[in-house]
């Protein structure tokens, strides 16, 4: 099971790879057209000023014509005003487009990521994905909201300026053109080096966020093992690596800028010197030389600006490429094309010779030749040593993974032919260590059924034996539970999870009993809550309590992915040594 495309480690960073992202500009045609018009107008106005300058020098200054000087002054002021208005429109529209497009891309990527299958997240680092979602999109924003317009404006200025240079003096332009390769080739070579270094710096920054995320997520483990210093050192190592990588890039970039200035302005000075001689010999007029100098500065400025933003464009191209790759990966687990519209009133579940290998562990099956029939409303207790495959059975029912061979059927229909929404909508999961989101208790319970009313939430909390402790909290059900529910005990977290499952009213219940010892009061409450919850539902329970086991309709003893024995507690105790040993070691008596 491989995803159609994995994230490339070394994106090529070709500017044309930004092309697939152009579709994000499509809905904003008017803004793009407005920005384009403003850009064109502003560039033409700048170029027009050179022609004005030539006219002014030749006709106004040389001939002492005061009226013409005054007239030129007012024209210049008007053009400047129009230029300012066009620049305002360009800046506003382009920056707005940058923000808008990146907001759309972010939302799209998140929507895409959240629909990816579980296997994808096992093979992709979360930090890597977060960095795509934040750093890469921010890079794109700089480019769409600025660099592209700088590049386009300066390309226009470059070509327009060059044309006008030709018109002003072909001879001087000839000299200038001769110098172009001398100026451009070193810049291109160094620019490439800057990009490579930029990419390396980017990767080092991704390492920082991966490390920070991992360690902050396991802060309890780190503090309990007093690993703070160790972690600090490791983190500082990453930070220094990133700093060193950034430093190499900055040094190269600074050198590039200095080189650009030297080469470009050196070339202009040379042309000026040659042009000066032409004026002295009368080959060209003073106005022509003034305009030529003006256009040379415009063209040189344009080359400089392009060389500045080209690195940004290349970096953004790398980012764009990674984002496109991310959007192109398709989930391995999807709803079928033609969905069987079934109403799940009850749940008969049938495993038909199921064998499953985890995508990352292809040498050994996690489940092998597993066949089982579970009638509606029955309770199946899954028991077995650690790593036997109990949790894997849950993951397969939830269709987090598809079996490599065999079928799982719900009411006779292969679950691959049921829409994921319908299938998962019929399942309630109570994990061993429930996830509590950083919001109120009420909203945490509501996650089981987003459309539940407040009364239903209270009723679910009551049935889950959670109402009493929740009401005693400072703001009752509206109390904020802290990140990952740190303000709750293990037993309380479980009861919230049970309330969540109750409000979902699922036909299939997947219950992973906590192995950790709870105090007898918590144990009693949870037992009560679970009994409420299991009534009338097809239940799979990874059982650790003797009372759950004795009440189950069937006990399935799993060992190394295979069913080793099926029976009641009493039968298994008598006929199976592994079960007898497990019973002695693992099963707790409920209080
Ligand atoms: P426990 O009681 O310790 O939770 P379990 O019976 O629930 O164990 P499973 O989690 O189903 O066991 O694991 C079955 C086997 O599959 C184990 O050998 C485990 O190492 C492997 N396994 C579990 N999850 C993955 C995964 N995501 N990728 C690869 N292998 C996995």
């Amino acid at each position: 099971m491989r995803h159609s495309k994995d994230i490339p480690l070394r994106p090529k960073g070709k500017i044309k790879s930004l092309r697939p992202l152009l579709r994000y500009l499509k809905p904003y045609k008017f803004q793009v057209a407005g920005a384009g018009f403003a850009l064109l107008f502003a560039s033409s106005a700048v170029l027009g000023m050179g022609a004005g300058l030539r006219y002014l020098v030749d006709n106004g200054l040389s001939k002492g014509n005061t009226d013409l000087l005054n007239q030129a002054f007012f024209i210049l002021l008007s053009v400047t005003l129009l230029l300012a208005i066009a620049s305002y429109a360009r800046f506003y529209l382009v920056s707005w487009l940058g923000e808008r497009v990146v907001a759309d891309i972010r939302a799209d990527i998140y929507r895409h990521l959240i629909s990816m299958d579980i296997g994808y997240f096992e093979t992709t680092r979360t930090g890597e994905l977060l960095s795509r979602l934040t750093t890469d999109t921010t890079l794109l924003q700089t480019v769409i909201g600025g660099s592209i317009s700088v590049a386009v404006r300066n390309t226009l200025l470059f070509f327009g300026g060059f044309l006008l240079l030709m018109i002003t003096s072909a001879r001087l332009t000839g000299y200038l053109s001769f110098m172009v390769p001398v100026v451009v080739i070193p810049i291109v070579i160094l620019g490439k080096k800057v990009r490579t270094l930029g990419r390396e710096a980017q990767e080092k920054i991704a390492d920082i966020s991966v490390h920070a995320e991992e360690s902050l997520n396991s802060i309890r483990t780190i503090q309990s093992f007093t690993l703070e210093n160790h972690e600090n050192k490791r983190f500082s190592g990453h930070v220094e690596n990133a700093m060193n990588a950034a430093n190499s890039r900055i040094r190269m970039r600074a050198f590039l800028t200095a080189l650009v200035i030297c080469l470009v302005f050196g070339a202009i000075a040379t042309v000026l010197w040659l042009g000066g001689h032409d004026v002295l010999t009368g080959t060209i007029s003073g106005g022509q030389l003034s305009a030529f100098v003006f256009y040379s500065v415009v063209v040189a400025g344009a080359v400089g600006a392009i060389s500045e933003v080209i690195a940004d464009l290349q970096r953004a191209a790398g980012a764009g490429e990674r984002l496109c790759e991310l959007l192109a990966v398709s989930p391995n687990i999807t709803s079928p094309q033609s969905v069987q519209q079934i109403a799940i009133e009850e749940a008969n579940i049938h495993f038909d010779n199921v064998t499953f290998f985890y995508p990352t562990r292809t040498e050994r099956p996690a489940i092998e030749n597993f066949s089982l029939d579970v009638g509606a409303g029955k309770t199946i207790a899954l028991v077995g040593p650690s790593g036997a495959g109990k949790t894997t059975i849950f993951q397969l029912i939830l269709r987090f993974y598809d079996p490599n061979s065999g079928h799982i059927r719900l009411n006779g229909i292969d679950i691959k032919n049921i829409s994921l929404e319908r299938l998962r909508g019929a399942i309630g999961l109570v994990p061993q260590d429930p996830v509590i989101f950083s919001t109120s208790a009420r909203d945490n319970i509501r996650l089981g059924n987003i459309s539940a009313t407040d009364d239903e939430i209270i009723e679910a909390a009551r049935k889950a034996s959670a109402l009493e402790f929740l009401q005693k909290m400072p703001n009752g059900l509206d109390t904020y539970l802290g990140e990952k529910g740190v303000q709750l005990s293990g037993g309380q977290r479980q009861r919230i999870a049970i309330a969540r499952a109750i409000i979902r009213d699922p036909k299939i219940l997947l219950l992973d009993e906590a192995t950790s010892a709870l105090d007898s009061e918590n144990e009693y409450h949870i037992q009560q809550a679970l009994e409420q919850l299991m009534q009338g539902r097809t239940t799979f329970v990874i059982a650790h309590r003797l009372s759950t086991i004795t009440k189950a309709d069937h006990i399935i003893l799993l060992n190394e992915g295979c069913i080793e024995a099926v029976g009641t507690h009493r039968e298994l105790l008598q006929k199976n040594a592994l079960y007898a040993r497990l019973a002695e070691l693992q099963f707790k008596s409920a209080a």
Side-chain angles (χ1 to χ4, degrees), residues 188-205:
V188 168
I189 294 173
L190 270 187
K192 258 199 178 136
K193 184 91 188 131
V194 170
R195 283 195 301 282
T196 315
L197 292 171
R199 213 152 44 220
E200 278 168 22
Q202 202 62 32
E203 279 164 18
K204 298 279 185 272
I205 288 174

Side-chain angles (χ1 to χ4, degrees), residues 122 358 360-361 364 366 384-392 395 401 542:
E122 277 173 10
Y358 276 102
T360 50
R361 187 99 36 104
R364 207 173 66 84
S386 178
K390 306 176 292 286
T391 314
T392 308
Q395 311 231 48
Y401 304 91
I542 298 178

Side-chain angles (χ1 to χ4, degrees), residues 4-320:
S4 40
K5 279 180 181 175
D6 292 326
I7 295 176
L9 286 176
R10 287 210 163 262
K12 293 175 278 303
K14 295 236 172 69
I15 288 178
K16 70 169 186 252
S17 57
L18 286 170
R19 206 174 294 157
L21 297 173
L22 283 181
R23 71 189 155 100
Y24 286 96
L25 282 171
K26 259 200 183 144
Y28 311 111
K29 284 191 201 88
F30 290 116
Q31 285 86 342
V32 173
F37 178 75
L39 210 135
L40 205 62
F41 181 86
S43 310
S44 314
V46 169
L47 293 174
M49 282 182 182
L53 185 68
R54 174 179 170 179
Y55 187 71
L56 183 70
V57 172
D58 283 348
N59 299 303
L61 298 182
S62 319
K63 297 179 183 157
N65 186 341
T66 320
D67 283 350
L68 198 73
L69 182 66
N70 294 344
Q71 213 178 337
F73 173 70
F74 284 112
I75 292 175
L76 185 68
L77 269 193
S78 319
V79 172
T80 308
L81 191 67
L82 288 175
L83 182 65
I85 294 171
S87 301
Y88 170 88
R90 175 187 56 80
F91 183 81
Y92 175 77
L93 288 172
V94 165
S95 308
W96 182 89
L97 276 170
E99 297 284 348
R100 186 64 262 159
V101 164
V102 166
D104 291 352
I105 293 179
R106 279 197 181 122
D108 235 19
I109 289 185
Y110 183 74
R111 191 178 316 123
H112 185 68
L113 278 182
I114 210 159
S115 71
M116 287 304 297
D117 57 87
I118 299 295
Y120 175 76
F121 294 101
E122 277 173 10
T123 47
T124 319
R125 297 187 303 176
T126 318
E128 176 97 19
L129 296 177
L130 289 179
S131 144
R132 300 279 155 275
L133 201 59
T134 52
T135 322
D136 280 348
T137 47
T138 308
L139 256 175
L140 268 192
Q141 186 188 326
T142 339
V143 163
I144 301 169
S147 311
I148 285 188
S149 108
V150 173
V152 173
R153 185 163 44 114
N154 285 291
T155 309
L156 286 177
L157 286 177
F158 177 79
F159 285 110
F162 198 76
L163 188 72
L164 289 164
L165 279 176
M166 292 280 283
I167 293 170
T168 314
S169 168
R171 206 169 83 86
L172 285 181
T173 313
Y175 291 141
L176 202 63
S177 313
F178 186 68
M179 293 171 204
V180 166
V182 182
V183 174
V184 169
I185 291 171
I187 293 176
V188 168
I189 294 173
L190 270 187
K192 258 199 178 136
K193 184 91 188 131
V194 170
R195 283 195 301 282
T196 315
L197 292 171
R199 213 152 44 220
E200 278 168 22
Q202 202 62 32
E203 279 164 18
K204 298 279 185 272
I205 288 174
D207 286 345
I208 293 184
S209 60
V210 168
H211 181 107
E213 199 221 46
E214 198 172 79
S215 53
L216 292 179
N217 273 337
S218 39
I219 190 73
R220 284 182 172 71
T221 314
I222 288 173
Q223 291 192 352
S224 63
F225 283 95
T226 55
L227 290 172
E228 291 93 330
N229 279 340
H230 173 75
E231 286 302 307
N232 273 336
K233 269 193 209 130
R234 279 183 57 202
F235 188 75
S236 301
H238 286 306
V239 172
E240 284 312 311
N241 283 342
M243 176 64 212
N244 291 338
N247 197 19
S248 311
R249 190 180 83 81
I250 296 168
R251 214 179 301 139
M252 193 55 82
R253 178 102 189 245
F255 182 59
L256 178 64
T257 312
L259 189 76
V260 167
I261 290 174
C262 271
L263 292 175
V264 171
F265 287 98
I268 290 178
T270 312
V271 171
L272 250 184
W273 175 68
L274 292 168
H277 281 290
D278 281 357
V279 175
L280 291 179
T281 56
T283 325
I284 56 170
S285 70
Q288 267 173 304
L289 183 62
S290 310
F292 196 86
V293 171
F294 179 82
Y295 290 131
S296 302
V297 171
V298 167
V299 169
V303 171
I306 291 170
S307 82
E308 288 256 321
V309 293
I310 202 125
D312 282 349
L313 287 180
Q314 298 267 5
R315 278 202 300 157

